[in-house]
């Protein structure tokens, strides 16, 4: 309530101090974008170009403010004015802002913006539906969870003569590890930090809340167990994953100091890595690793509320320009010139088009580096070119990715948002216990058969069953209302 009152007062001050705009002047909006540090160096020039275009097209201009997670949290707390903002589960927390009344329900307005509505697939809108209300527009990017092996081309293809395999199971990667270890007995093919292998857990459960190890069992889809809330300790895929990683650690495939290594940049990691992405993301990873790679999917696609809410745009509850805001969001997500300029900058200066892909210039790479996923859809505008000829970018990759989502496993509780407040004390206790054991378990350092029984005992004493029962009641009520 304090946030709402603060923002209302801030809005009254803005309106009372602002001079009356001429009727033919464009409406100026404020859009908060996410960033890790600060706005791109050349953003003022790009913003000027965007505003000239949007003023002519829809009578709207915009001040784009790039904000770190801490900055946007403070701005929300103090009631700083905005019209549009980026939100997700890990930045500018979506659920908290909805609960605090910060985001506008746009469900009734979407039909007035058919291009925007049609730019989002039905499954994504289903994930956004909260009792008939919609508080954000999900960005069409990698909204289906797919987990990949990222494999060194030079060693496995050029040196060992293997052929690219697009689908290697999790356990099937062991023969690759063994091959490398035989050639390099003093090295490790699967180097990692205390964070474990990237994205290893994303598809081991349909998470209700991963921090507290509470979710549903993907493998139970199609059965009456599909909507049964469980601890990860009772989800076989999650437990077996830990056991497999432990066996790799014992065989010397994983660096023995993984559990105490704070970080491991991709460029320093091993000849096999992992990550959540899509077919086509090898160009991104090759750029991060600084050498050619190829990818092989071992899980997915899975689609749930979490995956779809990974990147969204919301409209402020306190905006005086809701229609103009939606018009600008529609422009960002449907107009190729506007979206491309926002993402890459000025053509001929920051990027050039080559074979249907955007090739960044040196200036563009230096002065227009940003979180493009915070802006809008990836399905609009060109993909970025690959820095390596061996890993060419596919101009049609997003068409192919979304065609692949037709075969996705879809959550049985799509759209469900848990209310953890009644069991927050128990949840925090469970999370604290998990953090004590996590690094050693996910790096394979500890034996799950020895450690997990101890974890279970402590979590049960902390109220694990109370959490499960509470969330099960919420899931049952959600499904009953939905039906």
């Amino acid at each position: 309530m304090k946030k709402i009152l603060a923002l209302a007062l801030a809005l009254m001050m803005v309106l009372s101090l602002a001079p009356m705009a001429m009727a033919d002047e464009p409406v100026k909006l404020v859009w908060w974008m996410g960033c890790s540090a600060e706005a791109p160096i050349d953003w003022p020039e790009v913003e000027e170009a965007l505003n000239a275009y949007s003023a002519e097209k829809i009578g709207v201009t915009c001040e784009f403010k790039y904000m770190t997670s801490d900055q946007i949290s403070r701005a929300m707390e103090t009631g700083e004015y905005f019209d549009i903002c980026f939100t997700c589960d890990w930045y500018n927390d979506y659920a908290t802002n909805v609960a605090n009344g910060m985001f506008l329900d746009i469900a009734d307005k979407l039909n007035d913006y058919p291009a925007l509505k049609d730019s989002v697939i039905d499954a994504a809108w289903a994930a956004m539906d909260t009792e008939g209300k919609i508080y954000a527009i999900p960005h069409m990017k990698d909204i289906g969870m797919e987990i990949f092996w990222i494999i060194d081309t030079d060693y496995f293809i050029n040196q060992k003569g293997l052929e690219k395999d697009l689908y290697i199971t999790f356990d099937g990667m062991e023969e690759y590890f063994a091959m490398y270890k035989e050639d390099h007995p003093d090295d490790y093919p699967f180097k990692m930090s205390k964070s474990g292998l990237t994205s290893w857990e994303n598809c081991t459960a349909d998470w209700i809340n991963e921090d507290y190890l509470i979710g549903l069992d993907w493998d139970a889809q199609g059965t009456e167990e599909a909507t049964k809330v469980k601890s990860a300790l009772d989800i076989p895929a999650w437990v077996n994953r830990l056991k497999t990683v432990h066996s790799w650690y014992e065989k010397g495939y994983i660096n023995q100091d993984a559990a105490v290594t704070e970080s491991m940049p991709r460029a320093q990691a091993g000849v096999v890595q992992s990550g959540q992405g899509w077919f086509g993301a090898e160009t991104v990873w090759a750029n991060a690793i600084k050498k050619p790679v190829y990818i092989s999917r071992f899980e997915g696609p899975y689609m749930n509320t979490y995956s779809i809410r990974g990147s969204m745009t919301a409209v402020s509850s306190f905006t005086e320009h809701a229609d103009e805001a939606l018009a600008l969001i529609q422009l960002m997500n449907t107009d190729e010139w506007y979206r491309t300029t926002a993402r890459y900058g000025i053509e001929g200066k920051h990027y050039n088009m080559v074979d249907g892909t955007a090739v960044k210039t040196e200036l563009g790479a230096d002065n227009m580096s940003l979180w493009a996923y915070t802006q809008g859809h990836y399905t609009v505008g060109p993909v970025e070119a690959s820095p390596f000829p061996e890993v060419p970018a596919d101009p049609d990759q997003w068409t192919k990715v979304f065609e692949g989502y037709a075969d996705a496993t879809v959550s049985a509780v799509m759209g469900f948002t848990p209310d953890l407040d009644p069991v927050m004390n128990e949840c925090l206790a469970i999370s604290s216990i998990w953090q004590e054991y996590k690094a050693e378990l996910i790096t394979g350092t500890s034996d799950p058969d020895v450690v997990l029984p101890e974890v279970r005992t402590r979590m049960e004493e902390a109220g694990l069953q109370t959490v499960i029962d509470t969330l099960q009641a919420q899931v049952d009520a959600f499904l009953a209302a939905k039906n």
Side-chain angles (χ1 to χ4, degrees):
M1 182 60 70
K2 290 182 179 178
K3 292 182 185 177
I4 296 175
L5 289 173
L7 190 52
L9 290 171
L11 175 60
M12 291 172 64
M13 290 179 65
V14 169
L15 294 176
S16 64
L17 295 174
M20 294 297 291
M22 298 293 291
D24 58 350
E25 287 185 355
V27 171
K28 185 175 182 179
L29 304 178
V30 176
W31 191 331
W32 291 350
M33 295 286 189
C35 69
S36 58
E38 55 190 20
I41 295 171
D42 284 356
W43 184 257
E45 178 184 1
V46 174
E47 182 176 298
E48 184 178 356
L50 292 172
N51 282 337
Y53 188 84
S54 62
E56 181 178 350
K57 285 281 185 178
I58 59 173
V60 172
T61 62
C62 188
E63 177 188 0
F64 295 89
K65 302 181 73 172
Y66 283 83
M67 309 175 81
T68 66
S69 182
D70 288 342
Q71 288 171 336
I72 201 167
S73 294
R74 287 194 296 270
M76 282 287 186
E77 288 285 346
T78 57
E80 186 176 332
Y81 182 84
F82 72 99
D83 297 287
I84 308 169
C85 70
F86 171 67
T87 180
C88 63
D89 288 339
W90 56 268
Y91 174 100
N92 193 25
D93 186 66
Y94 172 76
T96 299
N97 283 314
V98 170
N100 288 337
M102 304 301 284
F103 294 160
L104 182 70
D105 171 21
I106 60 172
D108 292 338
K109 287 182 170 291
L110 280 174
N111 287 333
D112 296 331
Y113 302 90
L116 177 60
K117 185 177 181 180
D118 292 345
S119 72
V120 176
I121 65 173
D122 290 343
W125 284 129
M128 303 309 303
D129 191 323
T130 304
E131 299 179 348
K133 298 180 179 181
I134 295 175
Y135 295 100
I137 298 97
H139 299 166
M140 294 297 94
K141 46 189 293 294
D142 48 324
I143 60 171
M145 293 182 292
E146 300 179 85
I147 317 300
F148 291 85
W149 296 119
I150 307 164
I151 306 169
D152 183 89
T153 298
D154 180 58
Y155 176 74
F156 289 106
I157 301 295
N158 298 339
Q159 294 183 39
K160 305 303 293 186
L162 299 185
E163 294 184 359
K164 294 180 180 180
D165 187 344
L166 297 179
Y167 304 97
I168 302 173
T169 65
F170 192 80
D171 294 343
M173 183 50 68
E174 182 160 340
E175 64 180 276
Y176 288 71
F177 294 152
M179 181 185 302
Y180 184 86
K181 191 68 177 180
E182 183 177 355
D183 289 347
H184 306 85
D186 297 327
D187 198 6
Y188 305 97
F190 203 27
K191 298 174 184 175
M192 64 178 70
S193 70
K194 64 192 294 185
S195 299
L197 63 122
T198 305
S199 305
W200 72 274
E201 76 281 37
N202 287 9
C203 294
T204 53
D206 180 4
W207 295 109
I208 290 176
N209 191 290
E210 188 179 339
D211 291 338
Y212 311 134
L213 300 186
I214 301 295
L216 310 177
D217 188 345
W218 279 119
D219 291 336
Q221 286 286 324
T223 74
E224 59 183 21
E225 291 284 305
T227 58
K228 185 174 181 179
V229 177
K230 298 180 178 181
S231 164
L233 303 174
D234 295 313
I235 297 177
W238 186 84
V239 175
N240 291 337
R241 184 64 47 82
L242 294 178
K243 292 180 178 181
T244 299
V245 174
H246 177 60
S247 73
W248 291 343
Y249 181 88
E250 289 190 313
K251 293 171 183 176
Y253 302 149
I254 297 171
N255 49 305
Q256 302 298 284
D257 62 349
V260 294
T261 298
E262 288 297 325
S263 62
M264 180 70 67
R266 285 203 181 275
Q268 298 174 17
V271 292
V272 178
Q273 301 180 32
S274 65
Q276 180 173 314
W278 58 92
F279 281 113
E282 61 266 36
T283 61
V284 179
W285 287 317
N287 193 36
I289 297 171
K290 306 303 181 187
K291 62 191 306 186
V293 297
Y294 68 101
I295 62 175
S296 176
R297 190 175 72 191
F298 66 82
E299 280 183 331
Y302 292 94
M303 198 175 291
N304 62 7
T305 306
Y306 172 81
S307 71
I308 290 172
R309 292 181 181 177
S311 179
M312 300 171 285
T313 295
V315 176
S316 168
S317 290
F318 302 95
T319 180
E320 288 290 299
H321 306 290
D323 289 312
E324 290 86 354
L326 285 168
L328 186 60
I329 295 169
Q330 178 171 259
L331 192 70
M332 177 69 83
N333 289 297
T334 61
D335 187 290
E336 185 169 349
W337 184 91
Y338 192 88
R339 180 71 186 96
T340 302
T341 302
R343 180 174 182 179
Y344 297 115
I346 308 301
E347 185 173 6
K349 180 174 183 178
H350 298 113
Y351 77 98
N352 293 295
M353 292 299 299
V354 179
D355 297 329
T357 63
V359 180
K360 283 188 175 182
T361 64
E362 184 176 349
L363 183 67
D366 291 341
N367 291 6
M368 271 299 292
S369 178
L370 46 74
W371 291 356
Y373 57 84
T374 74
Q375 298 175 327
H377 299 342
Y378 272 9
T379 51
V380 179
V383 300
E384 185 174 347
S386 168
F388 300 100
E390 304 94 326
V391 192
D394 182 354
D396 298 322
Q397 72 173 29
W398 288 111
T399 298
K400 296 174 182 177
V401 167
F402 275 79
E403 287 174 349
Y405 289 162
D407 298 323
T409 301
V410 180
S411 172
V413 294
M414 181 69 83
F416 173 69
T417 301
D419 177 9
L420 297 171
D421 285 347
V423 287
M424 185 52 68
N425 289 336
E426 291 85 351
C427 286
L428 292 176
I430 290 168
S431 177
S432 179
I433 294 166
W434 172 233
Q435 292 305 317
E436 291 182 38
Y437 299 90
K438 181 178 179 180
E440 292 200 354
L441 279 169
I442 67 176
T443 59
T445 308
S446 294
D447 184 350
D449 286 332
V450 174
V451 175
L452 287 183
E454 181 180 337
V455 174
R456 179 187 295 278
T457 298
R458 292 187 60 190
M459 287 186 175
E460 288 176 347
E461 292 173 350
L464 176 60
Q465 193 59 48
T466 299
V467 175
I468 291 173
D469 292 343
T470 299
L471 293 177
Q472 186 67 65
Q474 292 180 19
V475 166
D476 292 343
F478 168 79
L479 293 172
K482 195 171 184 179
N483 291 334

